[in-house]
């Protein structure tokens, strides 16, 4: 156990359950299945192919694409050879990839399709790469292998080949070097670096987070035991491979517990594919759960009056006793009977529509999730829980135990982890899942991990008497208002985003006398709302500027203010003014990271004229901003935005 590596885990599954399904992928509407033995054979061929081209211990392999079995196998192949995998975001434009490719000194890459090949060939030309670098070795992006050959038939660039061709090279190499593969697997050490995951870079250049086999496997094993995961479970793999949120579920825990990884056909078919597979284990960020609930809400609003009445009555029963029944707590016989009937007639259909009929454990993380949203899923029988962690902790720091799920916390420390709060209120984490280091950044590593081996998360939080952690905000974003009281923008933004009509929010108030906010509406949810009220609109800008929409959002903001007024810590941070932005915040415009985190300082600079209008007391403000369109063109969008004042409430006497 002390020398566990991912390739050794694969070999173990191939030996113990070789004929059992391991991976599935939907292609052209048909699910393809690979057993553990078949997967191990594919990894072996791929590893040998990489070795034949010069990939060796200590080298880095870039992985770029949607979730595909062969991309996960490429990760295993590189690790078999003592290499390190470096996944990149598949929706990043070429120039966004440049820093990571240079920083990680990438000579080998495995990608999904023509889109990714084109990006890398463009970057290879910029870097002067290809076979035969200046030192006589492999230059930048010398070897590129692709999974999907469509559109690539006429490409003949040096070092470019399909994964099928790579596997053929590997089988010939393997046959000519008997015993080689087994020696490579045995040479691996649990302390070896397995993967480099780059941070989103909200405040500067991304940092490469180096994780070893031991830490990743240790966290995965403890997490799997915590939730009783086994080889009969199934997960849907659809989140970006470059995000730490995908790795524990689709890779580390799958190889620890031996469950099945299912890859959807495309982003557009995720919901359909999820219904067909019916996963038992599921993870999604809060935005996905919000979107799913929005779909259910829209369907019910479009239903007949009788169905709406039945749904409303059933949800009253669910809110009253659903969570108690899920957690095994006492409930009256009448409630249990009413819940059982509602479960059969009302709750089961939406669970089936959402593809959640078989889910045993569902998780969310990345942002706070609203109590009402949390309560909805748990009340209809879905064991939704929160976890907390960072890229640097293998996304593993706190877990919510069954029967002790709270809406306002992320749970106590996970098995094998320790949580502490320093004298400045920053959350500190240490334990099994902690990173080894930042890649080529020793000074940054020393700044991030203190003398007691605690990783300094940068989050501000508090521990309650039971050891449950409550996250307030990013420590660097916590400031003070003009009156000297605390200002935590993310805390306010998350409360706004609990509403299905609000997709994104950015709050301002540091060193100011009042809090103001930018809001992005959810185009689908608000569009449906407008349709049912016979409001015509031509697009996002038109819809966002309609007075009834602004008034509806004002009602949401005032509900947040009423909630904040009762908060003992942040009651003074109620929102006084807001506006609905004329464009959606977008990673392509650098306003969000690829994991959809707000680039706060960039937004403040880009939309400075709007912030000035807030605090100058203006009722409206014209703005023109640059934007990138879906077809790749760049242009400008402009509008005169209405600034709306909203009602605030008296703060309770016992509030700070």
């Amino acid at each position: 156990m002390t020398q566990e590596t991912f390739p050794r885990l694969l070999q173990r599954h191939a030996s113990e359950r070789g004929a059992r399904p391991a991976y599935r992928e939907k292609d052209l509407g048909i699910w393809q299945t690979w057993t553990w033995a078949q997967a191990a054979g594919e990894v072996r061929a791929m590893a040998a192919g990489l070795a034949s081209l010069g990939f060796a211990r200590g080298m880095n392999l870039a992985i770029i694409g949607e979730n595909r079995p062969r991309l996960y196998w490429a990760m295993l192949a590189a690790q078999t050879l003592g290499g390190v995998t470096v996944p990149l975001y598949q929706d990043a434009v070429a120039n966004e990839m440049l820093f990571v490719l240079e920083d990680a000194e990438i000579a080998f890459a495995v990608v999904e399709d023509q889109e990714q090949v084109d990006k890398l060939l463009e970057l290879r030309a910029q870097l002067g790469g290809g076979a035969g670098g200046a030192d006589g070795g492999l230059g930048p992006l010398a070897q590129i292998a692709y999974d999907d050959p469509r559109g690539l038939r006429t490409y003949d660039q040096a070092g470019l080949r399909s994964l099928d061709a790579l596997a053929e090279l590997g089988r010939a190499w393997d046959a000519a070097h008997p015993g080689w593969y087994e020696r490579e697997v045995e040479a691996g050490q649990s302390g070896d670096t397995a993967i480099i995951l780059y941070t989103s870079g909200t405040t500067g250049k991304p940092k490469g987070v180096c994780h070893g086999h031991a830490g990743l496997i240790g966290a995965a094993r403890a997490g799997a035991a915590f939730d009783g995961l086994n080889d009969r479970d199934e997960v849907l793999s659809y989140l970006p491979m470059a995000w730490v949120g995908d790795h524990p579920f689709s890779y580390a825990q799958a190889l620890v517990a031996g469950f099945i990884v299912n890859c959807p056909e495309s982003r557009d078919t995720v919901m359909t594919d999820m219904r067909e597979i019916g996963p038992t284990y599921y993870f999604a960020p809060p935005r996905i759960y919000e979107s799913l609930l929005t779909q259910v809400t829209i369907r019910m609003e479009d239903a007949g009056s009788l169905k709406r009445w039945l749904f409303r009555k059933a949800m009253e029963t669910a809110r009253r006793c659903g969570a108690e029944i899920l957690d095994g707590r006492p409930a009256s016989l009448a409630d249990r009977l009413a819940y059982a009937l509602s479960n059969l007639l009302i709750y089961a259909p939406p669970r089936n529509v959402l593809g959640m009929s078989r889910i045993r454990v569902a998780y969310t993380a990345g942002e706070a999730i609203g109590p009402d949203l949390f309560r909805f899923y748990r009340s209809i029988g879905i064991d939704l829980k929160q976890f907390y962690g960072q890229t640097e902790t293998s996304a593993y720091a706190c877990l919510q135990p069954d029967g002790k799920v709270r809406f306002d916390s992320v749970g106590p420390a996970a098995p094998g982890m320790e949580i502490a709060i320093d004298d400045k209120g920053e959350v500190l984490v240490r334990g099994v899942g902690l990173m080894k280091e930042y890649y080529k950044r020793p000074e940054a590593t020393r700044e991030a991990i203190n003398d007691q081996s605690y990783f300094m998360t940068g989050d501000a939080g508090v521990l309650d008497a039971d050891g449950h952690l409550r996250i307030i905000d990013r420590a660097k974003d916590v400031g003070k208002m003009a009156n000297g009281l605390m200002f935590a923008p993310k805390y306010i933004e998350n409360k706004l985003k609990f509403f299905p009509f609000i997709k994104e929010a950015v709050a301002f108030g540091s060193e100011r006398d009042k809090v103001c906010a930018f809001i992005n509406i959810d185009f689908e949810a608000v569009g449906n709302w407008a349709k049912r009220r016979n409001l015509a609109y031509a697009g996002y800008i038109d819809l966002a500027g309609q007075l009834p929409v602004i008034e509806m959002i004002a009602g949401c903001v005032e509900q947040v203010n009423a909630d904040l007024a009762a908060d003992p810590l942040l009651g003074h941070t109620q929102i006084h003014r807001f506006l609905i932005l004329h464009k959606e915040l977008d990673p392509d415009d650098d306003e969000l990271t690829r994991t959809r985190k707000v680039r706060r300082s960039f937004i403040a600079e880009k939309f400075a004229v709007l912030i000035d209008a807030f605090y100058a007391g203006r009722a409206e403000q014209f703005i023109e901003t640059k934007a990138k369109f879906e077809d790749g063109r760049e242009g400008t969008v402009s509008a005169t935005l209405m600034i709306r004042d909203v009602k605030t409430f008296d703060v309770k006497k016992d509030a700070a």
Side-chain angles (χ1 to χ4, degrees):
M1 298 288 284
T2 58
Q3 287 303 325
E4 276 192 319
T5 63
F6 289 116
R8 283 196 178 98
L9 291 176
L10 175 65
Q11 293 293 86
R12 186 180 307 162
H13 290 306
S15 173
E16 294 177 357
R17 53 183 61 85
R20 292 279 306 282
Y23 294 87
R24 292 197 193 101
E25 178 185 22
K26 193 176 184 182
D27 184 34
L28 300 178
I30 300 173
W31 286 100
Q32 310 291 334
T33 302
W34 290 267
T35 65
W36 283 106
Q38 289 172 327
E42 294 289 339
V43 169
R44 181 177 188 131
M46 208 177 291
L50 289 171
S52 73
L53 296 173
F55 190 88
R57 191 164 296 277
M59 296 180 71
N60 297 331
L61 174 73
I63 305 285
I64 314 171
E66 302 286 352
N67 309 73
R68 299 285 175 247
R70 293 214 284 186
L71 297 192
Y72 288 118
W73 299 340
M75 296 174 72
L76 278 159
Q79 291 166 355
T80 297
L81 301 175
V84 182
T85 57
V86 184
L88 284 77
Y89 286 97
Q90 71 276 15
D91 58 348
V93 298
N95 285 337
E96 287 181 280
M97 296 179 175
L98 185 59
F99 172 79
V100 173
L101 294 171
E102 285 189 301
D103 190 60
E105 303 172 83
I106 298 296
F108 285 77
V110 174
V111 304
E112 180 189 4
D113 54 17
Q114 182 186 16
E115 178 186 356
Q116 308 304 338
V117 168
D118 288 341
K119 292 178 191 176
L120 294 194
L121 290 177
E122 175 188 336
L123 291 171
R124 184 162 82 174
Q126 291 181 33
L127 295 168
D135 60 355
L138 290 162
L141 298 172
Q143 300 290 339
I144 303 170
Y146 53 84
D147 182 17
D148 185 349
R150 285 175 290 187
L152 291 164
R153 185 169 57 87
T154 61
Y155 284 49
D156 60 356
Q157 288 84 350
L160 179 66
R161 59 180 52 80
S162 69
L163 282 175
D164 288 335
L166 180 69
E168 284 303 310
L169 283 176
R171 292 185 184 98
W173 169 274
D174 193 17
H177 298 79
W180 160 85
Y181 183 77
E182 288 73 18
R183 289 192 297 272
E184 288 293 332
V185 172
E186 288 306 310
Q189 303 291 308
S190 62
D192 293 344
T193 299
I195 193 169
I196 301 175
L197 294 165
Y198 276 80
T199 62
S200 54
T202 53
T203 58
K205 291 292 186 184
K207 296 190 289 287
V209 180
C210 298
H211 279 291
H213 293 264
L216 293 169
I217 292 172
R221 191 173 296 283
F226 184 85
D227 286 307
L229 302 176
N230 58 58
D231 61 350
R232 299 291 175 176
D233 283 306
E234 298 200 33
V235 71
L236 186 72
S237 175
Y238 68 101
L239 296 167
M241 293 179 68
W243 185 38
V244 70
D246 176 69
H247 195 269
F249 299 89
S250 302
Y251 193 77
Q253 286 187 334
L255 284 164
V256 163
F259 56 68
I260 303 171
V261 176
N262 298 280
C263 298
E265 186 160 14
S266 70
R267 296 187 209 182
D268 297 333
T269 66
V270 167
M271 288 309 303
T272 301
D273 298 343
M274 185 167 170
R275 284 194 294 271
E276 291 178 0
I277 287 297
T280 62
Y281 186 39
Y282 183 66
F283 166 64
R287 189 70 227 167
I288 300 294
Y289 287 104
E290 291 163 5
S291 176
L292 295 175
L293 179 55
T294 297
Q295 291 179 34
V296 172
T297 303
I298 290 172
R299 287 169 66 97
M300 291 313 304
E301 287 174 346
D302 290 340
S305 56
L306 177 59
K307 285 186 177 180
R308 290 200 305 272
W309 181 84
L310 288 171
F311 183 77
R312 186 170 63 253
K313 288 296 182 182
M315 290 313 302
E316 289 174 4
T317 301
R319 283 190 290 271
R320 186 171 62 249
C321 63
E324 286 73 14
I325 292 172
L326 179 65
D327 289 335
R329 298 198 299 270
S332 69
L333 178 60
D335 276 345
R336 288 185 178 277
L337 289 173
Y339 185 85
L341 181 62
S342 295
N343 183 50
L344 180 65
L345 300 176
I346 306 298
Y347 313 144
R351 283 203 306 268
N352 184 56
V353 167
L354 297 176
M356 294 183 170
S357 296
R358 296 204 306 145
I359 284 179
R360 293 196 303 108
V361 182
Y363 272 111
T364 187
E367 297 284 354
I369 187 168
D372 290 341
L373 188 67
F374 207 76
R375 189 176 290 110
F376 169 80
Y377 284 99
R378 292 189 62 78
S379 68
I380 65 169
I382 296 171
D383 188 16
L384 177 60
K385 304 189 288 185
Q386 296 187 75
F387 74 87
Y388 168 73
Q390 298 78 24
T391 305
E392 291 86 348
T393 66
S394 307
Y396 182 77
C398 292
L399 291 174
Q400 291 186 322
D402 288 332
K404 297 181 180 179
V405 174
R406 300 181 184 177
F407 302 138
D408 61 348
S409 87
V410 292
M417 301 298 287
E418 296 178 50
I419 304 293
I421 308 293
D422 71 7
D423 54 6
K424 296 179 182 178
E426 183 174 358
V427 179
L428 309 180
V429 179
R430 70 180 177 190
V432 63
L434 195 61
M435 69 173 182
K436 293 176 62 179
E437 61 187 351
Y438 288 121
Y439 185 62
K440 299 193 299 189
R441 302 279 289 274
E443 187 61 35
T445 305
R446 287 191 291 271
E447 291 174 358
I449 300 176
N450 68 17
D451 294 340
Q452 288 76 47
S453 299
Y454 277 106
F455 170 67
M456 295 175 281
T457 65
D459 288 329
V462 293
L463 284 169
D464 66 18
D466 296 324
H468 285 246
L469 177 65
R470 177 190 176 193
I471 299 297
I472 297 172
D473 206 329
R474 290 294 293 168
K476 65 179 178 58
D477 290 333
V478 175
K480 291 185 177 181
M481 299 187 67
N483 58 12
L485 295 176
M486 180 191 294
F487 171 65
K490 189 175 180 181
Y491 184 78
I492 300 165
E493 292 159 5
N494 285 336
K495 284 185 173 293
L496 287 166
K497 290 191 290 182
F498 292 158
F499 292 92
F501 300 119
I502 298 177
K503 185 173 184 177
E504 193 57 76
V506 188
F508 304 93
S510 185
E511 306 300 328
R512 306 279 192 170
D513 61 346
K514 64 183 68 171
V515 176
C516 300
F518 294 160
I519 286 173
N520 269 165
I521 58 171
D522 186 295
F523 186 62
E524 181 183 5
V526 176
N528 184 267
W529 179 89
K531 179 182 176 182
R532 286 183 285 104
R533 286 158 179 79
N534 296 316
L535 293 177
Y537 59 93
Y540 182 90
I541 296 176
D542 187 20
L543 182 62
Q546 298 236 10
L547 184 59
V549 172
I550 294 171
E551 292 300 322
M552 182 268 290
I553 295 297
C556 298
V557 175
E558 288 177 357
Q559 288 184 56
V560 168
N561 283 345
D563 189 31
L564 285 168
D567 192 298
L569 190 63
L570 295 165
H572 57 278
T573 61
Q574 295 175 56
I575 300 162
H576 285 70
R577 315 190 80 200
F578 79 92
L579 60 79
I580 301 176
L581 285 172
H582 58 305
K583 69 178 294 294
E584 293 187 87
L585 298 176
D586 195 321
D588 287 343
D589 293 327
D590 298 324
E591 297 147 349
L592 304 174
T593 69
R594 288 293 163 190
T595 54
R596 303 202 65 84
K597 293 179 181 176
V598 168
R599 283 196 160 106
R600 196 175 303 281
S601 58
F602 181 86
I603 290 171
E605 182 178 346
K606 183 172 183 176
F607 299 103
V609 65
L610 297 180
I611 299 173
D612 291 342
F614 273 147
Y615 294 101
R618 298 182 196 132
E620 61 181 34
Q621 177 64 49
F622 175 79
I623 186 169
E624 185 175 66
T625 53
K626 293 181 179 180
K628 294 177 183 175
F629 302 115
E630 290 185 1
D631 60 4
R633 293 181 299 111
E634 294 188 5
T636 59
V637 289
S638 61
T640 298
L641 307 184
M642 183 184 298
I643 299 174
R644 176 71 155 75
D645 294 288
V646 289
K647 180 181 178 182
T648 58
F649 300 85
D650 292 335
V651 180
K652 288 188 176 180
K653 292 182 180 180
D654 59 348

